[in-house]
Amino acid sequence: MSRDGEPPVSEDSGAGPEPAPAGNGAVAVPGVPDAVFRAEMKDALAGLTARLDREHERAAHREAVIDRLHEENQRLRRGELQAMLEPVRAALYRLHDQARRESGRLAAPGLAEPPDPEQTALLLAAVADDVADALARLGVERFTVEPGAPYDAARHRPVAVTPVDDPLRDGTVTAVQSDGFEQSGKVLRKAAVSVGRLDGTADGGDGKAVAAGSNGTGPAAGTGSDLGGGTGRDSGAGGTVNTGQTTNSG
């Protein structure tokens, strides 16, 4: 007999009551004793725990390898830096010894002849070449500027203005104070140069400054927009280069 509202259950269908849950909340498997099922679950959980432990060990090993590689990388970088600086140290050693020898020679009490200006000039040129060679080993190349070259604001730093009466020399380099240095095409320090500018008397005596170089390459005279520096012949920050050349009209 079936209850009201429930489909009748045929005795020949083989359907029976559903298995009751196990006492620990797990669903019992038909045909498997409860004790065996619990043992299998326990073994499965133990296997998962062991796998997690192994994964933790592998993760800790990977972290140790990463830390060791990072330390070795830092050590190699320090070694490369020291090797890169070795030529600079060697050049400084030579400069130090050379300067000390010349200082001792010039300070000797029995010096019979005064220093030869030509030899002194050669000595200073050799010192500058040694410094440039040390910088070249670091990838910093020296570049020179020849007088007469057009003024280039990207590579030249004007430190003085030279009055010129030749329009072709307006806006050109008239003298070089120091060389420039660059690395991989990037200017690290501009060359310090003197720049020619038409004399104020070259405009016909009316006292007006020439607006631009006649050859089209020179900066505007009298404005100081490109020739930033000090006043007069010296360079300084935050000023304009002024030749101080004025002509009174009338």
Side-chain angles (χ1 to χ4, degrees), residues 53-196:
D53 292 340
R54 287 193 298 270
E55 290 297 328
H56 283 303
E57 292 177 358
R58 293 192 185 98
H61 178 70
R62 286 193 295 269
E63 291 293 333
V65 171
I66 292 174
D67 292 340
R68 185 173 67 253
L69 291 176
H70 177 71
E71 182 179 355
E72 292 177 356
N73 184 37
Q74 293 297 320
R75 185 164 57 250
L76 288 174
R77 292 183 62 182
R78 288 193 295 268
E80 291 177 355
L81 180 61
Q82 293 299 323
M84 185 174 59
L85 292 177
E86 182 60 32
V88 179
R89 287 194 292 264
L92 292 178
Y93 297 154
R94 292 195 301 270
L95 293 177
H96 174 271
D97 296 341
Q98 195 173 22
R100 292 290 294 178
R101 284 195 301 267
E102 292 300 321
S103 175
R105 183 179 67 84
L106 296 176
L111 185 64
E113 299 180 356
D116 185 3
E118 183 177 357
Q119 293 296 326
T120 303
L122 293 176
L123 172 63
L124 295 177
V127 169
D129 290 339
D130 285 342
V131 174
D133 180 66
L135 290 173
R137 294 175 181 270
L138 296 177
V140 179
E141 298 291 340
R142 175 177 59 180
F143 67 87
T144 59
V145 182
E146 295 295 333
Y151 169 75
D152 185 357
R155 299 175 65 85
H156 304 157
R157 179 171 61 89
V159 296
V161 171
T162 303
V164 296
D165 53 6
D166 185 359
L168 295 178
R169 297 183 61 193
D170 183 30
T172 63
V173 175
T174 58
V176 180
Q177 306 296 331
S178 62
D179 296 329
F181 293 90
E182 61 183 352
Q183 185 177 26
S184 301
K186 179 182 179 181
V187 176
L188 301 180
R189 195 192 74 173
K190 298 179 180 180
V193 299
S194 298
V195 183

